[in-house]
Amino acid sequence: MPLLTTFPHCPSLSYPPNTLLSSRTRFRCPSFGAKMTASDKNGAAILWFKHDLRIDDHPGLVAASKSRVLLPLYVFDHRILSRFSDEMQQLVLIAVEDLRKSLKDLGSDLMIRFGSAENVILDLVKEVKATNIYAEEEVEYDLRLMMDVVKKTLETVYSQEGSARLEFWQTPFFDTRSLKNLPESHGDLQKLQFSITSPLPPPALRSVKMECDWGPVPTFDDLKKFMNKNGCKPQNSWTSIKETSAESILQIELLKPGERNRKDLSFRHTRRKRIDKSAFVTQKGNIVGGGTNTVLNALAAYLRYLEGTARDDWQEVHERLRNAETRDGASFITLFGPALCLGIISRRRVHYEAMIYEKERNAGFLSPFGYSAATVAAAIDAVCSMEWYWVMALKNLISYDEPYSIRIWRWKGFLIQYTVLGHEGPAILLVHGFGAFLEHYRDNIYGIAEGGNRVWALTILGFGKSEKPNILYTELMWAELLRDFIVEVVGEPVHLVGNSIGGYIVAIVARFWHALAKSVVLINSAGNIIPGYSSVPFTKERKTSGASWLGARLFLFFLRSRLKDIVKNCYPTKPERVDDWLLDKMLRASYDPGVPVVLESIFSFNISIPLNYLLEGFKETVLIIQGMKDPISDSKSKVAMLKEHCAGVIIRELDAGHCPHDELPQEVNSIICEWVASVHSKLPAESLP
């Protein structure tokens, strides 16, 4: 019986009847309705698995199954695997092994190869005379580059059947025919009442009759040897940088030697008892993994948390749920996020299973007042949010009208937008303030790049069009994001530039990971100067409360209703800079899923670490750009404190408010370019790129 339901947390969406596609139908689900013709019966096809390690709800597999010959393929390509932690790489190995077993159950197999995907696929295309290569659409910049290389490589192959074609597929949530039909605002999307498409069952596959070397699934040790051989490791001095958290660095500095030893003992890993049918398959055992059926079983346990259970494997899921619930609903993305990122289970399948269970709990009905279980709400909200940001990322990649191109970087499974401009010169990283986005540097990115620099700007997690997951947002988490961005994307030390809370975050990066920063530029930075501090205050506990939940939503209502006045107040010298473009960008972002969660962080921020502590050791490499008409802080007092307690800092006072870089862009661009050139000229030759 088909589901035809609506639900409150993803308003006005519904499931249409589930229909099976015949072998003669044209396949209409890869690109929001773009037709992908099923493979010619006389041709061979290669199905390239990447982050879609399943046979359930796999549109690419359904399309490729109509081919005369189907060759499923997984390539251990260092460009894909280097993006993952050791724990994620363990999940990949287990999922690939399960995928092979599932394909064998369907009468097929999975070919395992090592090397560059374009070379592996080129050889196989020639060997089996394939005319179609099916691969899932990607939004990450590095992966899209790799896909372009594969596509160009295939264009060099010609046969009697024609050139091989790279066919992209997707697993669309929304029943719409084109990305162009999707609005930029999530609020507007909710009004359109798009239905949610149903997950697809695995298709029947023709038995494999090819005599070939399918290749073994490697051990973890073999995989690490392959990765090291292919030069996937960053600089040796940087490897440990990513492994050290901001919190651990701060705690080590705060604790006395004897206390450090006791702290280390408390964090030692204890061997846990292995539970039969456990979904926690990695060495750390903190995230759900395994094959699709294992993950689905863990999902069933998660959804049914309120029911209790006598099953050991379900009790284990419930225990991990409680440990991961750092805030209401945060446990789902913590436990299941990695499996979703690897495509062991689809977002659409999670949504479908959660809705089925919700209807079971309510005698076939759905309440208009919300879900009956917090776990159901957590699962549905998470996958709906993930889908929105993935779709918006793809839409912006193909239809972005700014003077600089937008790229996507995935950090811990979350999509982060960034841009880069300039081909030579010093590397500069621009970091925005609270509630802003990389486009807040709209007149700085190009201007600073024109000054002979390479400029990166990103929208940090929780803002703009970057993802806004249900997690705890802290200044230390954002600092670690910047650290990883510098290591993984920029690849060299940078001149750090930050406005408002962005300034405070870059100061943390500079203090804790000194090797990543060539200089620090703070533009009306958050944070205080504490004369003669004897200790650095730090609170590990960041729990949310009912008061913060309510406060965030009231604050959001206030921001939306008074946005123009609030922003203009920060631009006292040139209020005309607060134009419709800027306000529309801010208002659009305020309707994104997850915004209230981000705003709750306001009530748990810890900006009590003194700026003079964070800037220690950066004598003569710190520039303060201070708008003296800042309505948020007392600029005169702050400048006086900086001069007195931060030796060697350079201060430039401007006739501007809280955002001098956007209020007086030409003046700020000139100051930053001169500063970077001056610092760069004093650096030793061996430190220059």
Side-chain angles (χ1 to χ4, degrees):
M1 182 177 178
L3 284 174
L4 193 58
T5 56
T6 58
F7 51 95
H9 285 69
C10 279
S12 304
L13 301 176
S14 63
Y15 277 116
N18 195 358
T19 56
L20 295 177
L21 300 176
S22 72
S23 60
R24 297 181 181 178
T25 58
R26 290 174 69 84
F27 200 72
R28 194 188 71 77
C29 72
S31 299
F32 290 89
K35 294 182 178 179
M36 181 169 68
T37 308
S39 298
D40 189 329
K41 291 183 178 179
N42 295 321
I46 295 172
L47 178 58
W48 177 21
F49 288 93
K50 301 189 305 297
H51 305 112
D52 48 325
L53 304 179
R54 64 183 187 275
I55 63 171
D56 174 69
D57 194 24
H58 198 298
L61 179 60
V62 173
S65 67
K66 299 167 179 62
S67 305
R68 174 179 57 83
V69 176
L70 171 60
L71 182 64
L73 170 70
Y74 185 84
V75 183
F76 284 92
D77 189 312
H78 67 276
R79 292 168 295 184
I80 295 176
L81 297 168
S82 61
R83 299 153 46 252
F84 297 144
S85 65
D86 285 354
E87 188 171 21
M88 285 290 283
Q89 289 176 10
Q90 290 177 40
L91 284 189
V92 169
L93 291 174
I94 297 168
V96 166
E97 189 170 13
D98 183 82
L99 176 61
R100 166 172 276 181
K101 179 180 181 300
S102 299
L103 286 166
K104 284 183 175 180
D105 291 342
L106 293 178
S108 184
D109 205 332
L110 179 66
M111 181 166 283
I112 306 292
R113 291 290 183 268
F114 288 80
S116 298
E118 60 271 20
N119 295 331
V120 170
I121 292 174
L122 178 62
D123 291 342
L124 290 176
V125 165
K126 292 178 178 178
E127 183 177 347
V128 303
K129 295 181 173 56
T131 57
N132 296 83
I133 296 86
Y134 292 92
E136 186 175 20
E137 182 76 86
E138 301 287 355
V139 296
E140 295 171 64
Y141 176 73
D142 288 344
L143 294 182
R144 289 177 72 86
L145 277 184
M146 184 178 68
M147 302 292 277
D148 285 342
V149 172
V150 173
K151 185 177 180 181
K152 290 176 181 177
T153 303
L154 292 175
E155 290 173 354
T156 66
V157 182
Y158 297 93
S159 66
Q160 292 180 351
E161 290 81 9
S163 61
R165 298 184 301 274
L166 188 58
E167 304 275 8
F168 295 108
W169 63 270
Q170 302 166 7
T171 309
F173 237 52
F174 307 116
D175 188 18
T176 180
R177 292 183 175 274
S178 171
L179 280 171
K180 294 180 181 179
N181 294 338
L182 290 177
E184 290 282 325
S185 168
H186 189 261
D188 292 337
L189 174 73
Q190 294 173 325
K191 299 173 185 176
L192 294 179
Q193 301 184 10
F194 284 127
S195 60
I196 288 187
T197 56
S198 298
L200 300 171
L205 300 180
R206 292 184 175 90
S207 297
V208 176
K209 298 180 180 179
M210 290 183 292
E211 293 293 334
C212 57
D213 177 16
W214 291 94
V217 177
T219 64
F220 182 69
D221 289 340
D222 289 338
L223 180 60
K224 298 309 292 183
K225 289 178 183 177
F226 166 75
M227 298 289 287
N228 292 333
K229 182 180 178 181
N230 282 272
C232 302
K233 290 284 186 181
Q235 303 176 30
N236 291 334
S237 60
W238 284 23
T239 303
S240 59
I241 288 178
K242 282 187 59 178
E243 295 173 353
T244 309
S245 70
E247 183 177 302
S248 64
I249 293 173
L250 191 55
Q251 288 181 330
I252 288 172
E253 294 199 14
L254 294 178
L255 294 173
K256 298 177 182 178
E259 293 175 325
R260 293 177 192 177
N261 294 335
R262 290 196 295 272
K263 192 71 175 179
D264 292 341
L265 286 172
S266 67
F267 277 98
R268 286 181 181 173
H269 178 72
T270 56
R271 186 179 297 275
R272 62 188 180 92
K273 180 182 177 182
R274 175 71 180 176
I275 295 176
D276 188 35
K277 297 181 181 180
S278 172
F280 300 92
V281 294
T282 63
Q283 187 174 359
K284 290 184 178 180
N286 294 322
I287 55 178
V288 170
T292 300
N293 289 335
T294 301
V295 176
L296 280 172
N297 179 60
L299 176 63
Y302 181 90
L303 294 173
R304 290 162 177 79
Y305 174 73
L306 292 178
E307 296 181 9
T309 180
R311 293 176 51 173
D312 289 344
D313 57 333
W314 282 28
Q315 287 180 358
E316 185 182 32
V317 173
H318 294 172
E319 178 187 356
R320 296 295 193 282
L321 184 160
R322 290 188 290 270
N323 294 338
E325 195 76 350
T326 53
R327 52 161 291 107
D328 292 344
S331 57
F332 179 83
I333 202 66
T334 299
L335 298 180
F336 292 91
L340 285 162
C341 184
L342 294 177
I344 300 171
I345 187 173
S346 70
R347 297 188 291 270
R348 192 163 62 176
R349 173 60 69 184
V350 171
H351 189 279
Y352 182 84
E353 296 298 326
M355 293 299 296
I356 288 288
Y357 176 61
E358 179 67 9
K359 293 193 74 175
E360 287 178 1
R361 285 178 56 86
N362 294 282
F365 296 96
L366 291 174
S367 169
F369 303 108
Y371 300 113
S372 61
T375 50
V376 173
I380 290 178
D381 287 349
V383 294
C384 285
S385 177
M386 291 172 71
E387 180 70 13
W388 168 253
Y389 291 108
W390 192 92
V391 169
M392 285 298 101
L394 183 59
K395 181 175 181 178
N396 287 321
L397 288 173
I398 63 178
S399 60
Y400 193 73
D401 58 358
E402 300 298 337
Y404 34 82
S405 62
I406 289 295
R407 300 178 180 181
I408 302 296
W409 169 59
R410 191 180 289 273
W411 182 70
K412 296 187 176 181
F414 306 124
L415 301 179
I416 307 296
Q417 290 202 348
Y418 74 98
T419 190
V420 57
L421 204 62
H423 301 288
E424 59 183 7
I428 301 173
L429 176 59
L430 307 178
V431 183
H432 61 82
F434 196 90
F437 26 73
L438 70 85
E439 293 92 345
H440 200 205
Y441 288 102
R442 52 184 166 171
D443 293 325
N444 308 109
I445 296 171
Y446 185 78
I448 296 174
E450 268 197 326
N453 303 292
R454 289 169 296 143
V455 180
W456 279 263
L458 82 165
T459 300
I460 60 177
L461 195 71
F463 299 103
K465 290 184 179 179
S466 288
E467 204 161 340
K468 302 170 183 65
N470 186 2
I471 62 172
L472 277 176
Y473 292 86
T474 70
E475 66 289 340
L476 298 184
M477 178 272 289
W478 281 317
E480 290 174 1
L481 183 152
L482 293 185
R483 172 201 66 192
D484 294 351
F485 183 82
I486 297 169
V487 172
E488 295 180 18
V489 180
V490 182
E492 64 181 270
V494 299
H495 297 272
L496 288 163
V497 180
N499 171 235
S500 191
I501 189 66
Y504 190 72
I505 296 168
V506 302
I508 294 175
V509 173
R511 168 73 192 204
F512 292 170
W513 304 287
H514 191 95
L516 301 181
K518 289 185 175 179
S519 75
V520 179
V521 180
L522 305 184
I523 306 174
N524 285 69
S525 176
N528 300 309
I529 309 298
I530 301 179
Y533 65 88
S534 57
S535 63
V536 179
F538 174 71
T539 303
K540 182 177 179 180
E541 294 296 326
R542 304 291 184 97
K543 292 183 178 179
T544 58
S545 64
S548 63
W549 184 95
L550 178 61
R553 282 145 184 84
L554 292 175
F555 186 45
L556 180 58
F557 175 79
F558 172 75
L559 287 176
R560 288 172 180 166
S561 62
R562 299 288 305 277
L563 182 62
K564 188 173 183 178
D565 293 338
I566 294 171
V567 179
K568 273 196 170 185
N569 192 42
C570 294
Y571 288 67
T573 301
K574 290 192 175 181
E576 66 273 12
R577 291 286 295 171
V578 183
D579 52 18
D580 291 341
W581 179 91
L582 180 61
L583 294 173
D584 288 346
K585 290 276 187 183
M586 291 182 169
L587 194 61
R588 187 220 62 79
S590 75
Y591 287 95
D592 275 346
V595 167
V597 175
V598 181
L599 289 179
E600 285 182 43
S601 64
I602 293 175
F603 301 94
S604 61
F605 271 159
N606 180 6
I607 57 172
S608 58
I609 304 175
L611 269 180
N612 42 325
Y613 162 79
L614 294 175
L615 298 178
E616 282 180 0
F618 273 82
K619 189 175 182 180
E620 296 183 355
T621 54
V622 177
L623 170 66
I624 306 294
I625 299 177
Q626 189 71 28
M628 300 306 291
K629 295 181 178 178
D630 191 344
I632 296 177
S633 63
D634 184 350
S635 291
K636 290 183 179 180
S637 175
K638 191 162 194 173
V639 166
M641 295 289 281
L642 284 165
K643 289 179 178 178
E644 183 176 355
H645 301 285
C646 295
V649 302
I650 307 300
I651 300 175
R652 295 294 298 270
E653 301 178 18
L654 298 181
D655 184 27
H658 189 64
C659 310
H661 62 286
D662 193 42
E663 193 172 7
L664 303 172
Q666 286 75 26
E667 190 169 347
V668 170
N669 292 348
S670 177
I671 292 171
I672 292 177
C673 287
E674 290 174 6
W675 166 260
V676 170
S678 173
V679 172
H680 216 61
S681 66
K682 299 174 185 177
L683 293 174
E686 59 269 18
S687 69
L688 300 178

Short mmCIF file of all heavy atoms in Angstrom, two decimals, residues 152 172 423 436 467 566:
data_model
loop_
_atom_site.label_atom_id
_atom_site.label_comp_id
_atom_site.label_asym_id
_atom_site.label_seq_id
_atom_site.Cartn_x
_atom_site.Cartn_y
_atom_site.Cartn_z
N LYS A 152 37.25 13.48 -19.70
CA LYS A 152 38.15 13.84 -20.81
C LYS A 152 38.95 12.63 -21.28
O LYS A 152 39.24 12.48 -22.48
CB LYS A 152 39.08 14.96 -20.38
CG LYS A 152 38.37 16.29 -20.19
CD LYS A 152 39.31 17.37 -19.68
CE LYS A 152 38.56 18.69 -19.48
NZ LYS A 152 39.44 19.75 -18.92
N PRO A 172 17.33 11.63 -5.99
CA PRO A 172 16.63 12.88 -5.65
C PRO A 172 15.57 12.68 -4.58
O PRO A 172 14.83 11.71 -4.57
CB PRO A 172 15.98 13.27 -6.98
CG PRO A 172 15.76 11.96 -7.67
CD PRO A 172 16.93 11.10 -7.29
N HIS A 423 46.54 33.72 -8.67
CA HIS A 423 47.39 32.60 -9.10
C HIS A 423 48.79 32.65 -8.52
O HIS A 423 49.53 31.68 -8.63
CB HIS A 423 47.47 32.58 -10.63
CG HIS A 423 46.14 32.45 -11.29
ND1 HIS A 423 45.42 31.27 -11.28
CD2 HIS A 423 45.38 33.34 -11.98
CE1 HIS A 423 44.28 31.44 -11.94
NE2 HIS A 423 44.23 32.70 -12.37
N ALA A 436 27.32 36.08 9.10
CA ALA A 436 27.73 36.49 7.75
C ALA A 436 28.12 35.27 6.93
O ALA A 436 27.72 34.14 7.22
CB ALA A 436 28.87 37.50 7.84
N GLU A 467 26.63 24.04 5.36
CA GLU A 467 25.67 23.20 6.08
C GLU A 467 25.51 23.67 7.52
O GLU A 467 26.41 24.27 8.11
CB GLU A 467 26.15 21.74 6.04
CG GLU A 467 25.05 20.73 6.21
CD GLU A 467 25.43 19.34 5.71
OE1 GLU A 467 26.37 19.23 4.89
OE2 GLU A 467 24.78 18.38 6.13
N ILE A 566 19.28 46.71 12.19
CA ILE A 566 20.40 46.13 12.94
C ILE A 566 21.69 46.23 12.14
O ILE A 566 22.73 46.64 12.65
CB ILE A 566 20.10 44.66 13.29
CG1 ILE A 566 18.93 44.58 14.28
CG2 ILE A 566 21.33 43.98 13.88
CD1 ILE A 566 18.42 43.17 14.52
#
